[in-house]
Amino acid sequence: MPLDAICLTAVVRELQKELLGLRIEKIQQPGRDQVILSLRGGRKLLLSAGANQARLHLTTISRENPAAPPMFCMLLRKHLAGGRISAIQQPALERVVSLTIDMVDELGEPGQRKLVLECMGPRSNLILLDGQDRIVDCLRRVDMEMSPDRQVLPGLFYRLPPAQDKLDPLAVEDAELDRLFSQAGQETECASLLLSSFFGLSPLICREIACRGCGSGDARLLSEADRTRLKAAFLDWQNTVKEEHFTAYLLSRDGKPFDFSYQSITQYGNSVEGREYDSFSLLLDAFYETREQMERVRQRGQDLQRAASNARDRMRRKLALQEKEYAKTQDRETLRIRGELITANLYRMEKGQALLRAQNYYDPDCREVDIPLDPLLTPQQNAAKYFKQYSKAKTAETYLIEQMEIARRERDWLESVLDELTRAEAEQDFADIRRELREAGYLKGQVPRKKEPRRPASGPRQFRSSTGLRILVGRSNEQNDRLTKNAYKSDYWFHTQRIHGSHVILCAEGSQPDEQSMTEAAVLAAWFSQGRNSGQVAVDYTQVRNVRKPAGARPGMVVYDPYQTAYVAPSEELVKKLSVSSY
């Protein structure tokens, strides 16, 4: 759900306790809609004005910055760098947060600036104000054509978004609730009534109030008793919010987070998993991490995804045709037998004959068969025709076996590239995959942009086992090759069995690794694979000395023998626990 007004209040209360008085040491803009303020003490405050991810909270996730900072980032550095956060404020039940920053201008004069975050879906914005609340600049400029009612442009005084024509849920009293519920007709859905009557409430909370009062999120006002129970549930929610009894609560389905709230949620029963977090910053970091990765893949890897998917689909169709042709070659003995029977019955055949009925002496019962003939050919030519078709089918079988094996390897490699794209994070990851596809001939018509900034080669993901052994995880097929090639022969290599995933190297440091480190390396191999969301994943492991790359094989493709197999459950918590920065 978007960050609603009350959940935003809970976040603001949390940030007020931690950030007031802290100095802004660094300002970065890793994404078009994201700004990160690095504060004294190592804290990082993320402000995001993305349409589907507007929010602010402390973050621990490292994000890659562009080679050149955007203009808005440069503007923020000019006005805010070195300033101190003196206030964090939110207008009552508005999805707007204002950070007041005490700073010193170019002339050494003290002053104030405000950084306003508006969390309003597609209209979300990040706005810099001067000491008189005049707009210096913003992420998204809104002119008269875009909004006749409210413009957001440099030089204009800042105004809050227009208020909704609804009731304040925290100020409404008993009598007004009675009137509202009594005017609602029978069969009125409780959640819809709350959502249409009050501002500041999200659909999730409206359904939760209905569920706690009337037993179901889609309950209806059927009787006076229903109205009484709904009113009691609403007043109970109201008291909880007024007293600021907030709980950072994450909802997950099939291991994937899909919603969050500032209180526990009961409406889904046992169909979803609920988890409480120690802070809203930790909750929002966890919730948006997966969503941001998917968005990065969609934006940066869209053309790569399309090229790899189209190539994979073409290879599948090609393989299907080859398998169909191969199936036809398996019936070639019938062609040979027909040629033999025509040859054996030449004495009783005439030119222009269209059908030969002969006894099949290859059949144990010697039954008669009908053999179609070309009336324009002589009997000898008909026999030669069947022998030629037989020989052609025999040759085709050998050729098709080779071609089908090549097609299967190519299809598997393309599927591994698509799997890479789902886990790509940094700009360099996408550049590596782009080069891999280009060298394979799937991006022939594309050339690199001129004057593209050179980036240092990205290293593999790096982890430390509980006993201190280093574990390396490849980010791409080319990196998988380098990782395995450069590892010591005594190191251990891990890979999921029969499904695509990263190569994982457990650095043994010349000795036999402990059992716990082996298990943790297997869990990492399971997590960084297509089996991430499975309950149990089979992971093969062996020493690097037993892994080799066939001649001419695509990047990332290896064979290995002997090996052993471990069955482990992927664990995101273990991945985060063992993670260290990549080198």
Side-chain angles (χ1 to χ4, degrees):
M1 74 175 202
L3 195 63
D4 70 16
I6 298 173
C7 196
L8 188 58
T9 300
V11 176
V12 168
R13 295 291 181 269
E14 185 177 283
L15 296 179
Q16 287 171 338
K17 297 175 182 177
E18 297 194 41
L19 303 186
L20 295 184
L22 293 187
R23 182 174 180 268
I24 300 174
E25 297 185 333
K26 188 186 295 184
I27 301 173
Q28 298 168 312
Q29 189 176 347
R32 179 178 178 273
D33 301 316
Q34 291 182 342
V35 169
I36 293 179
L37 306 181
S38 296
L39 307 172
R40 175 160 292 183
R43 293 179 175 87
K44 292 183 179 181
L45 178 63
L46 170 70
L47 299 100
S48 174
N52 297 317
Q53 50 191 12
R55 68 201 191 275
L56 84 162
H57 58 86
L58 294 173
T59 182
T60 58
I61 299 173
S62 297
R63 292 170 172 83
E64 185 182 22
N65 292 301
M71 292 300 296
F72 188 68
C73 180
M74 296 293 289
L75 181 72
L76 294 180
R77 290 177 180 178
K78 175 184 175 182
H79 287 272
L80 305 183
R84 295 181 184 274
I85 299 176
S86 59
I88 304 175
Q89 298 170 317
Q90 177 195 13
L93 292 185
E94 291 284 354
R95 287 183 291 169
V96 177
V97 178
S98 171
L99 275 68
T100 302
I101 298 153
D102 295 336
M103 43 74 69
V104 177
D105 62 19
E106 298 92 333
L107 301 177
E109 295 294 328
Q112 281 191 338
R113 296 290 184 269
K114 287 184 180 179
L115 191 57
V116 180
L117 175 65
E118 298 181 347
C119 305
M120 298 182 295
R123 300 189 303 277
S124 297
N125 210 341
L126 190 59
I127 308 166
L128 177 64
L129 309 180
D130 64 14
Q132 289 75 43
D133 286 350
R134 195 187 298 269
I135 298 173
V136 178
D137 209 344
C138 52
L139 272 181
R140 294 183 179 86
R141 296 184 178 184
V142 181
D143 57 23
M144 180 71 72
E145 292 184 0
M146 299 171 66
S147 175
D149 300 325
R150 178 177 180 256
Q151 290 80 53
V152 183
L153 295 170
L156 298 181
F157 283 102
Y158 177 75
R159 294 184 294 117
L160 285 172
Q164 293 179 297
D165 187 20
K166 295 182 180 180
L167 298 173
D168 184 343
L170 300 182
V172 67
E173 297 180 352
D174 286 16
E176 201 166 7
L177 281 176
D178 291 333
R179 180 185 58 78
L180 176 67
F181 293 162
S182 63
Q183 289 178 351
Q186 284 194 342
E187 297 294 328
T188 299
E189 195 173 76
C190 301
S192 298
L193 176 63
L194 296 175
L195 189 62
S196 61
S197 302
F198 300 101
F199 64 82
L201 296 183
S202 67
L204 175 70
I205 291 300
C206 291
R207 292 195 303 271
E208 183 64 21
I209 295 173
C211 178
R212 295 189 180 193
C214 303
S216 171
D218 56 0
R220 299 178 183 275
L221 290 175
L222 300 177
S223 65
E224 189 62 34
D226 290 332
R227 293 181 175 86
T228 302
R229 288 193 294 267
L230 180 62
K231 175 184 173 182
F234 183 88
L235 292 175
D236 183 59
W237 167 86
Q238 189 184 72
N239 290 332
T240 299
V241 174
K242 285 182 176 180
E243 295 171 4
E244 297 188 358
H245 292 162
F246 299 129
T247 301
Y249 198 80
L250 181 69
L251 296 170
S252 301
R253 182 183 288 121
D254 299 328
K256 297 180 179 180
F258 75 95
D259 217 334
F260 60 87
S261 183
Y262 49 85
Q263 64 176 57
S264 60
I265 300 297
T266 62
Q267 59 190 273
Y268 297 106
N270 296 325
S271 63
V272 302
E273 177 186 352
R275 176 184 172 186
E276 293 185 8
Y277 278 77
D278 293 335
S279 73
F280 282 93
S281 290
L282 292 174
L283 165 70
L284 294 172
D285 239 9
F287 179 80
Y288 283 103
E289 182 179 9
T290 303
R291 178 175 289 190
E292 283 185 356
Q293 182 178 348
M294 293 173 63
E295 183 67 15
R296 284 195 298 270
V297 170
R298 188 189 68 80
Q299 291 179 350
R300 301 181 186 177
Q302 202 168 37
D303 60 327
L304 303 179
Q305 186 87 20
R306 183 168 55 251
S309 295
N310 290 341
R312 189 262 325 264
D313 294 342
R314 285 197 303 271
M315 198 57 61
R316 284 177 174 175
R317 291 192 294 269
K318 179 180 179 180
L319 183 58
L321 291 174
Q322 290 174 339
E323 289 173 342
K324 186 177 179 180
E325 290 297 319
Y326 178 78
K328 290 180 180 178
T329 66
Q330 301 309 294
D331 196 32
R332 64 180 182 274
E333 281 300 313
T334 301
L335 301 172
R336 184 184 65 80
I337 290 172
R338 287 180 176 180
E340 296 284 0
L341 294 179
I342 292 173
T343 302
N345 289 275
L346 288 175
Y347 68 94
R348 48 189 289 261
M349 297 176 62
E350 298 178 357
K351 186 175 181 179
Q353 190 173 339
L355 184 71
L356 171 64
R357 175 166 291 177
Q359 193 176 46
N360 183 7
Y361 49 80
Y362 289 97
D363 186 347
D365 298 329
C366 292
R367 289 172 292 193
E368 288 188 338
V369 295
D370 291 335
I371 303 174
L373 303 174
D374 187 341
L376 299 180
L377 301 179
T378 64
Q380 291 88 345
Q381 289 172 329
N382 271 292
K385 177 183 175 182
Y386 277 112
F387 284 131
K388 184 176 181 180
Q389 290 176 346
Y390 167 75
S391 178
K392 186 176 179 181
K394 188 175 181 181
T395 303
E397 180 187 41
T398 303
Y399 174 79
L400 285 169
I401 289 174
E402 295 175 357
Q403 292 302 308
M404 286 191 298
E405 182 60 29
I406 293 173
R408 289 190 186 101
R409 289 199 299 266
E410 197 72 3
R411 177 201 60 192
D412 291 344
W413 174 74
L414 287 165
E415 288 179 346
S416 75
V417 171
L418 289 169
D419 180 56
E420 286 178 48
L421 285 168
T422 65
R423 295 192 300 275
E425 297 172 350
E427 192 71 44
Q428 187 61 38
D429 297 344
F430 291 98
D432 290 344
I433 297 171
R434 188 181 299 278
R435 183 175 62 253
E436 191 176 343
L437 286 170
R438 186 179 290 118
E439 290 177 354
Y442 291 108
L443 293 175
K444 282 185 179 179
Q446 301 186 22
V447 295
R449 290 175 295 177
K450 293 182 180 179
K451 297 182 180 179
E452 192 173 53
R454 293 180 61 86
R455 296 177 180 273
S458 61
R461 297 179 179 90
Q462 184 167 275
F463 301 84
R464 285 278 178 185
S465 73
S466 299
T467 57
L469 294 182
R470 194 166 59 150
I471 305 174
L472 305 177
V473 180
R475 294 176 181 270
S476 65
N477 282 329
E478 289 187 346
Q479 195 176 90
N480 286 337
D481 278 352
R482 294 195 300 270
L483 194 60
T484 302
K485 181 180 179 180
N486 296 332
Y488 290 107
K489 301 299 182 184
S490 58
D491 290 344
Y492 276 80
W493 178 89
F494 295 76
H495 195 280
T496 46
Q497 187 180 88
R498 297 190 180 90
I499 60 175
H500 299 297
S502 298
H503 292 202
V504 175
I505 299 295
L506 173 61
C507 302
E509 300 180 355
S511 60
Q512 177 63 36
D514 59 279
E515 193 68 29
Q516 186 173 1
S517 295
M518 296 284 283
T519 301
E520 289 171 346
V523 171
L524 290 173
W527 178 257
F528 291 102
S529 76
Q530 288 181 323
R532 171 177 292 193
N533 297 317
S534 303
Q536 288 283 318
V537 178
V539 178
D540 293 340
Y541 63 95
T542 185
Q543 284 190 307
V544 172
R545 69 177 80 252
N546 300 320
V547 182
R548 62 183 180 86
K549 186 175 184 64
R554 289 291 191 194
M557 300 295 154
V558 297
V559 294
Y560 50 94
D561 188 64
Y563 64 91
Q564 294 175 276
T565 303
Y567 294 88
V568 296
S571 170
E572 183 178 8
E573 290 186 5
L574 182 64
V575 171
K576 291 182 177 180
K577 176 184 174 183
L578 303 182
S579 177
V580 297
S581 59
S582 298
Y583 61 85

